[in-house]
């Protein structure tokens, strides 16, 4: 089995239009990436799968899309102004910058640069929030932050949602959106970036039931990745030790994925207690208590169980997880390899590609007609250029799970060849049954490798 490296993933991502460097013509912008035609489709589908899981499958979860710009007091209340910092050291000689917790402890203790051996500065705290100004004056009164997490937009709206949607505890609010962090180290492609997207769900529960719900949400999030067809031996749990816990958390577990550079955090499940709502009560002066009308109007500040996944980090995980290089045995040629992205069909940017065997003799027209018929229900592609084998390989590399080939027999008996990406098997299917067959295949999909 061929080794999966970040170089291979990055190169395929660029070659096939998944991810481009931001502002590439100016030399690129550190910490920012652009999602190309395939990338935006994949990102939308990952977001769609998560949204469906959270809102459609859970009657007790509703959605929200809060603004990125929030009142600056939000971030004082949340503790981010005070606590959302990374420890930073610089090398006085080579000017390299490091997170103090990511260099060998002996280097830190000896103040010795791990790259050039030069002298390191003292460790200082660096706040990760991006600051800007709102309005024409650039003074302290006009400071505003780009949100470093989407969660706070949910907390400040939780009472609005209870009132407008008659939600009763326990219930959740889900949100997908951009977040920004002035990360010191942004390597490994789109793994850690300054601009990224999160998929967060905050579940409001009665104090005392929080540990039970925490475990429940850990189980649900694990099962979610299993249903997506992710390699489960590439996932593991990591519980935060006391020195890793965020300032708001009582308990936290990360789901880690085995990326090409090693095990790294994919998603966090956090017991945030009533910390955030207590602080917003304190800072806004508004009563954030829940009134339990079914229980003698009992009042309390709910505890919050948070599931927080990076959307863009999920995209990287899905790319790595799907990537495969396979020797194509059927050809009997030892040098014949194909690169294939084994996306779950519900996530693949293109679900079905329609390929006429020849451009001539009316095959292209028939293929276009078939594509038109499939467009209503599926993301389609059409390719009439080059040898059919090469066209299959192009679709394999883009992760297209199904190819439909239109040949001379199609004109005679209204059937086409349906080719499966993973097994490369081909079956003959009547054109009239194609859409139903594809729907059935998507529903029954099981990853074979
Ligand atoms: N609201 C809680 C929170 O934001 P976090 O562990 O800091 O918790 C949650 O972030 C998730 O967001 C991470 O598991 C990761 O998937 C994603 N994430 C965080 N920082 C990121 C960054 N700089 N670039 C890409 N994704 C990031």
């Amino acid at each position: 089995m061929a080794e999966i490296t970040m170089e291979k993933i990055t190169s395929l991502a660029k070659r096939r239009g998944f991810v481009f460097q931001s502002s590439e013509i100016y030399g690129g912008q550190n910490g920012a990436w652009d999602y190309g035609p395939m990338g935006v489709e994949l990102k939308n589908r990952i977001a769609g799968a998560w949204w469906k899981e959270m809102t459609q499958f859970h009657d007790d979860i509703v959605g929200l899309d809060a603004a990125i710009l929030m009142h600056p007091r939000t971030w004082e209340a949340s503790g981010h102004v005070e606590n959302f910092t990374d420890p930073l050291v610089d090398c006085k000689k080579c000017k390299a910058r490091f997170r103090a917790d990511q260099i060998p402890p002996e280097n830190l203790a000896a103040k010795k640069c791990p790259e050039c051996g030069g002298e390191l500065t003292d460790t200082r705290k660096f706040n990760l929030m991006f600051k800007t100004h709102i309005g024409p004056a650039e003074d302290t009164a006009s400071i505003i932050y780009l949100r470093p997490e989407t969660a706070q937009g949910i907390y400040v709206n939780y009472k609005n949602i209870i009132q407008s949607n008659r939600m009763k505890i326990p219930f959740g609010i889900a949100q997908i959106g951009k977040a920004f962090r002035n990360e010191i180290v942004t390597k490994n492609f789109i793994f850690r970036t300054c601009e990224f997207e999160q998929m967060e769900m905050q579940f409001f529960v009665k104090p005392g039931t929080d540990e039970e719900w925490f475990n429940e949400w850990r189980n649900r999030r694990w099962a979610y990745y299993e249903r997506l067809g992710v390699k489960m031996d590439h996932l593991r749990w990591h519980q935060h030790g006391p020195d890793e816990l965020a300032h708001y958390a009582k308990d936290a577990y990360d789901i880690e994925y085995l990326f090409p550079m090693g095990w790294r955090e994919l998603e966090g499940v956090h017991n945030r207690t009533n910390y955030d709502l207590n602080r917003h009560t304190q800072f806004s002066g508004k009563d954030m208590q829940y009134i339990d009308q079914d229980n003698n109007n009992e009042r309390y500040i709910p505890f919050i169980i948070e599931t927080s996944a990076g959307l863009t980090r999920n995209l990287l995980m899905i790319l790595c997880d799907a990537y495969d290089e396979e020797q194509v045995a059927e050809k009997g040629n030892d040098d014949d390899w194909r690169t294939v992205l084994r996306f779950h069909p519900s996530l693949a940017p293109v679900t079905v590609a329609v390929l006429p065997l020849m451009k001539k003799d009316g095959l292209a027209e028939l293929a276009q007609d078939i594509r038109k018929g499939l467009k209503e229900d599926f993301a389609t592609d059409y390719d009439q250029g080059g040898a059919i084998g090469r066209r299959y390989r192009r679709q394999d590399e883009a992760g297209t799970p199904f190819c439909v080939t239109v040949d001379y027999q199609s004109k005679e008996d209204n059937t086409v060849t349906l080719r499966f990406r993973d097994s490369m098997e081909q079956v003959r299917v009547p054109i009239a049954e194609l859409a139903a067959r594809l729907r059935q295949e998507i529903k029954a999909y099981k990853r074979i490798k």
Side-chain angles (χ1 to χ4, degrees):
M1 179 144 155
E3 194 197 352
I4 304 172
T5 62
M6 203 50 105
E7 289 70 34
K8 287 182 183 175
I9 300 289
T10 312
S11 140
L12 182 140
K14 179 170 184 194
R15 195 168 67 244
R16 298 312 308 263
F18 284 93
V19 184
F20 306 122
Q21 205 182 9
S22 161
S23 327
E24 190 181 347
I25 61 166
Y26 291 103
Q29 175 54 52
N30 216 4
W33 296 86
D34 298 339
Y35 291 81
M38 299 298 268
V40 67
E41 294 293 345
L42 180 59
K43 185 149 69 71
N44 286 344
R45 297 213 209 307
I46 296 170
W50 184 90
W51 193 256
K52 185 173 176 185
E53 161 72 15
M54 286 300 178
T55 63
Q56 201 165 317
F57 289 156
H58 289 96
D59 300 340
D60 52 4
I61 302 180
V62 290
L64 174 74
D65 184 11
I68 289 172
L69 299 178
M70 298 183 71
H71 194 289
R73 290 279 281 167
T74 309
W75 306 110
E76 289 172 38
S78 70
H80 282 81
V81 170
E82 193 184 341
N83 297 313
F84 198 52
T85 55
D86 272 348
L88 179 73
V89 287
D90 289 304
C91 173
K92 291 182 184 171
K93 192 170 159 206
C94 70
K95 309 291 175 210
R97 180 161 285 174
F98 308 96
R99 263 178 62 172
D101 55 348
Q102 287 180 354
I103 61 173
E106 53 278 17
N107 285 68
L108 194 61
K111 286 190 154 187
K112 190 172 164 197
C113 174
E115 275 174 18
C116 77
E119 191 192 347
L120 293 177
T121 60
D122 287 336
T123 305
R124 61 187 191 283
K125 282 187 173 177
F126 169 75
N127 196 296
L128 295 180
M129 279 196 295
F130 276 103
K131 240 189 226 175
T132 184
H133 294 272
I134 192 157
E138 291 200 5
D139 53 22
T140 46
S142 67
I143 285 178
I144 196 157
Y145 299 97
L146 300 185
R147 67 180 177 198
E149 61 169 7
T150 61
Q152 299 301 327
I154 294 180
Y155 305 148
V156 300
N157 274 299
Y158 113 94
K159 286 222 113 173
N160 283 339
I161 288 175
I162 287 178
Q163 277 147 20
S164 62
N165 293 64
R166 296 184 295 137
M167 303 307 287
K168 288 185 175 181
I169 277 179
F171 76 94
I173 304 174
Q175 177 168 221
I176 299 176
K178 291 238 173 182
F180 301 83
R181 296 182 189 177
N182 201 352
E183 299 282 0
I184 301 165
V185 181
T186 56
K187 55 181 183 192
N188 291 320
F189 193 30
I190 55 171
F191 177 79
R192 176 171 286 109
T193 51
C194 293
E195 176 176 346
F196 58 100
E197 282 178 71
Q198 288 188 313
M199 308 185 284
E200 296 200 304
M201 193 284 302
Q202 313 295 324
F203 204 73
F204 297 80
V205 305
K206 190 172 179 177
T209 64
D210 52 305
E211 285 175 22
E212 204 180 304
W213 277 111
F214 181 63
N215 289 333
E216 175 63 26
W217 275 107
R218 281 186 54 204
N219 292 335
R220 289 183 188 179
R221 292 310 298 151
W222 188 261
Y224 169 77
Y225 287 111
E226 200 159 21
R227 279 197 299 281
L228 269 194
V230 174
K231 292 176 190 154
M232 294 312 282
D233 60 350
H234 278 50
L235 289 179
R236 72 177 188 192
W237 285 105
H238 165 72
Q239 185 178 20
H240 284 208
D243 53 341
E244 287 173 281
L245 281 175
H247 58 273
Y248 48 71
K250 166 177 160 186
D251 199 359
Y253 276 81
D254 291 338
I255 296 180
E256 293 186 335
Y257 182 80
L258 185 55
F259 287 96
M261 66 280 188
W263 290 98
R264 295 284 190 288
E265 175 183 348
L266 175 68
E267 158 162 2
V269 182
H270 311 133
N271 182 345
R272 291 182 75 133
T273 70
N274 52 8
Y275 172 87
D276 297 273
L277 293 181
N278 269 335
R279 296 273 293 191
H280 285 304
T281 305
Q282 203 184 320
F283 279 71
S284 70
K286 299 285 185 308
D287 184 3
M288 301 296 267
Q289 289 183 100
Y290 175 74
I291 304 167
D292 187 350
Q293 290 170 340
D294 299 334
N295 215 349
N296 297 324
N297 288 337
E298 187 188 354
R299 287 165 181 262
Y300 56 82
I301 300 267
F303 269 45
I304 291 168
I305 307 304
E306 169 183 68
T307 72
S308 177
L311 168 54
T312 41
R313 195 172 289 183
N314 254 259
L315 188 144
L316 179 61
M317 179 277 282
I318 292 288
L319 269 180
C320 297
D321 202 65
Y323 187 94
D324 196 10
E325 288 169 8
E326 187 180 40
Q327 199 165 20
V328 190
E330 61 173 8
K331 285 225 148 191
N333 176 356
D334 285 353
D335 290 335
D336 196 12
W337 285 75
R338 67 166 183 160
T339 301
V340 51
L341 290 177
R342 300 185 191 278
F343 292 137
H344 190 286
S346 63
L347 297 183
V350 174
T351 317
V352 51
V354 184
L355 320 170
L357 195 63
M358 301 282 177
K359 278 183 247 175
K360 54 184 188 181
D361 302 329
L363 295 189
E365 289 76 9
L366 180 55
Q368 288 283 19
D369 275 353
I370 293 170
R371 182 193 191 188
K372 211 159 141 204
L374 295 172
K375 268 188 176 179
E376 179 77 17
D377 298 315
F378 306 100
T380 61
D381 191 12
Y382 174 84
D383 186 2
Q384 62 177 24
I388 192 72
R390 249 204 321 273
R391 283 185 270 163
Y392 285 147
R393 293 295 146 79
R394 274 185 62 76
Q395 295 298 335
D396 290 344
E397 200 188 45
T400 307
F402 310 107
C403 285
V404 166
T405 312
V406 179
D407 55 18
Y408 287 101
Q409 191 186 331
S410 310
K411 291 211 322 182
E412 281 159 27
D413 65 2
N414 284 318
T415 64
V416 287
T417 301
L418 177 61
R419 179 212 186 240
F420 300 92
R421 173 199 66 203
D422 291 355
S423 63
M424 295 189 289
E425 277 169 20
Q426 304 190 3
V427 292
R428 207 77 203 170
V429 179
I431 296 168
E433 291 170 20
L434 200 49
R437 177 70 187 265
L438 288 171
R439 262 191 293 277
Q440 183 196 330
E441 292 290 342
I442 294 170
K443 220 167 182 147
Y445 178 79
K446 286 260 175 319
R447 187 166 167 164
I448 53 172
K449 249 182 134 186

